[in-house]
């Protein structure tokens, strides 16, 4: 029997469908929004002004597709649709297809439809999908006598010239304002310089999992796969922080920290490392304020490069740039630094930069195992 009509369920389904029309929240900060506006203003102004010097007159039909491109290049520069090859390749492909359709297909409506469809096919094939290029293709068909008179010259001027001008402005502006453009993921090379993935990416959602899911979906997503992977890793760390966030560095750190002074002999520091079965010593002043750190790796490196430093003072061996932590800092904050950054020891400082403890990889592992209920042997 057919299911009975349920008005309440139909109303709920309708409400759920209508909610899909509500715009998603935009997470861009106020600073990023201001950058987008200023960048688009400068990009379009400079592009139009330089083009006007070439064309000896204002051309309103040219600037419309460039305005759409400016939204991407300055508003969402991390998007795959806004990358240099996308704007240049997409616009050139669309302009070429548009001019060909305008010349070979008498009906303008059909010519515009075929031009945009053909441009989409080629943009996917050439990996240069750029939505404003659809407007370029339509402009080639409906641009009027001035555009039609240019023929395939329309591909070069104004499309190629203006695409390059807008791109150059975007390259300069986005990099001056500290945006990564062209957008590329931050390098995450392992400290061991091997082909293995960083430890944080060997468990949980891996890149292979991500690639398999995206391939199964078969959709074009407006986000770089590397960015999506980084977001997933950050989300996992945030989830861990909810679970382990109550454990602070002060809860797990060693408090009786063996330290050295910068003027002590390096040989004395090596003896302390051996005697206490440790791999690092903070270097402190008389008030125990941190000045640096000396590790077994520093000794190995000095032996290989310059043996005289091994016979000198600790200050000649120590590393001055030190990653540190606070006693009230959640241990999850150190997880990625230990796993991917190659760190083994992190000094814990008080507000006066005095060393009050040391957190090691062993401390972190023991704390995580304890909170997951795994028994450990002393």
């Amino acid at each position: 029997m057919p299911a009975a009509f349920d008005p309440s369920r139909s109303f709920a389904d309708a409400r759920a469908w209508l909610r899909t029309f509500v715009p998603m929240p935009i997470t861009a900060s106020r600073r990023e929004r201001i950058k987008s506006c200023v960048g688009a203003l400068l990009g379009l102004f400079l592009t139009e002004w330089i083009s006007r010097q070439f064309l000896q007159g204002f051309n309103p039909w040219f600037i419309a597709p460039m305005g759409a491109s400016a939204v991407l290049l300055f508003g969402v520069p991390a998007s795959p649709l806004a990358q240099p090859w996308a704007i240049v390749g997409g616009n050139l492909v669309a302009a070429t297809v548009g001019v060909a359709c305008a010349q070979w297909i008498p009906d303008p409506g059909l010519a515009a439809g075929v031009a945009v469809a053909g441009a989409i096919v080629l943009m996917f094939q050439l990996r240069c999908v750029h939505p404003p290029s659809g407007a370029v293709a339509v402009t080639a068909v409906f641009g009027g006598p001035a555009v039609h008179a240019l023929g395939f010259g329309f591909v070069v001027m104004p499309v190629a010239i203006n695409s390059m001008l807008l791109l150059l402005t975007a390259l300069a502006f986005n990099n001056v304002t500290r945006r990564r453009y062209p957008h590329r993921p931050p390098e995450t090379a392992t400290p061991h310089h091997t082909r293995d993935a960083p430890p944080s990416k060997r468990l949980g959602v891996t890149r292979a999992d991500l690639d398999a899911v995206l391939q199964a979906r078969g959709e074009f997503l407006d986000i770089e796969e590397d960015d999506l992977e980084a977001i997933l890793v950050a989300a996992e760390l945030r989830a861990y922080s909810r679970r382990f966030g109550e454990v602070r560095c002060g809860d797990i750190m060693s408090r009786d920290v063996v330290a050295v002074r910068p003027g002590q002999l390096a040989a004395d520091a090596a003896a302390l490392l051996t005697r206490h079965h440790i791999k690092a010593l903070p270097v402190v002043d008389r008030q125990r304020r941190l000045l640096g750190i000396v590790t077994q790796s520093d000794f190995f490196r000095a032996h290989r490069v310059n043996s005289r430093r091994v016979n000198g003072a600790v200050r000649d061996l120590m590393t001055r740039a030190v990653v540190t932590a606070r006693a009230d800092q959640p241990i999850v904050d150190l997880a990625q630094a230990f796993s991917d950054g190659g760190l083994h020891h992190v000094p814990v400082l008080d507000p006066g930069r005095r060393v009050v403890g040391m957190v090691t990889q062993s401390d972190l592992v023991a704390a995580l195992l304890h909170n997951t209920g795994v028994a450990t042997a002393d």
Side-chain angles (χ1 to χ4, degrees), residues 245-255 324-331 333-334 346-351 354-359:
E246 69 275 6
V247 182
R248 309 288 171 174
C249 292
D251 300 328
I252 67 170
M253 69 184 185
S254 302
R255 298 176 184 273
T324 63
R326 306 183 311 275
D328 62 347
Q329 191 169 349
I331 63 171
D333 291 353
L334 303 182
V346 172
V348 182
L349 309 182
D350 67 8
R354 289 181 290 271
V355 176
V356 295
M358 181 78 81
V359 175

Side-chain angles (χ1 to χ4, degrees), residues 110-369:
L110 179 60
V114 172
V116 174
I120 291 174
V121 170
L122 291 175
M123 285 191 290
F124 270 120
Q125 192 68 25
L126 298 174
R127 297 188 296 177
C128 57
V129 177
H130 187 63
S133 299
V136 173
V138 172
T139 300
V141 176
F142 287 106
V147 175
H148 296 160
L150 291 173
F152 284 99
F154 173 75
V155 178
V156 178
M157 184 66 199
V159 174
I161 298 298
N162 284 280
S163 297
M164 290 300 302
L165 289 174
L166 191 63
L167 173 60
L168 290 174
T169 307
L171 286 168
F173 180 84
N174 286 327
N175 283 279
V176 166
T177 56
R178 300 184 182 278
R179 289 169 159 179
R180 294 198 314 273
Y181 188 82
H183 189 69
R184 57 197 179 279
E187 295 184 3
T188 56
T190 62
H192 308 294
H193 303 289
T194 63
R195 290 191 296 271
D196 289 325
S200 64
K201 296 183 179 180
R202 297 177 196 170
L203 296 175
V205 178
T206 66
R207 181 58 181 267
D209 296 329
L210 182 61
D211 290 340
V213 171
L214 291 176
Q215 187 173 3
R217 289 175 63 94
E219 297 179 56
F220 181 86
L221 299 181
D222 189 12
I223 183 172
E224 294 280 1
E225 293 181 12
D226 292 304
D227 289 338
L228 184 56
E229 183 183 21
I231 291 170
L232 289 174
V233 171
E236 284 186 328
L237 289 175
R238 188 175 180 86
Y240 281 129
S241 68
R242 287 201 306 273
R243 184 171 183 179
F244 302 111
E246 69 275 6
V247 182
R248 309 288 171 174
C249 292
D251 300 328
I252 67 170
M253 69 184 185
S254 302
R255 298 176 184 273
D256 185 14
V257 180
V258 181
V260 291
R261 301 278 179 80
Q264 285 185 247
L265 292 176
D268 293 341
L272 287 173
L273 291 174
T274 301
R275 183 188 313 159
H276 294 280
H277 303 286
I278 55 180
K279 298 180 180 179
L281 294 167
V283 183
V284 299
D285 61 13
R286 293 181 181 274
Q287 288 74 39
R288 290 188 68 82
R289 289 191 293 261
L290 185 70
L291 301 175
I293 195 168
V294 60
T295 68
Q296 285 183 342
S297 297
D298 294 325
F299 281 97
F300 294 148
R301 188 161 44 248
H303 270 296
R304 187 177 66 251
V305 177
N306 184 354
S307 59
R308 286 181 297 179
R309 294 172 58 190
V310 180
N311 300 320
V314 168
R315 67 168 61 90
D316 300 324
L317 285 176
M318 70 181 190
T319 300
R320 299 177 186 275
V322 185
V323 176
T324 63
R326 306 183 311 275
D328 62 347
Q329 191 169 349
I331 63 171
V332 176
D333 291 353
L334 303 182
Q336 193 160 16
F338 274 123
S339 66
D340 295 351
L343 294 179
H344 299 277
H345 302 77
V346 172
V348 182
L349 309 182
D350 67 8
R353 289 193 59 79
R354 289 181 290 271
V355 176
V356 295
M358 181 78 81
V359 175
T360 68
Q361 282 185 334
S362 299
D363 299 327
L364 188 66
V365 170
L368 293 177
L369 289 175

Side-chain angles (χ1 to χ4, degrees), residues 42-54 62 66 73-74 87-88 156-173:
L42 291 175
L44 290 174
F45 171 76
L46 291 174
T47 300
E48 191 279 329
W49 183 83
I50 295 173
S51 299
R52 184 155 26 99
Q53 309 313 305
F54 281 104
F62 139 72
M66 294 299 108
L73 269 66
F74 299 100
I87 179 174
V88 175
V156 178
M157 184 66 199
V159 174
I161 298 298
N162 284 280
S163 297
M164 290 300 302
L165 289 174
L166 191 63
L167 173 60
L168 290 174
T169 307
L171 286 168
F173 180 84

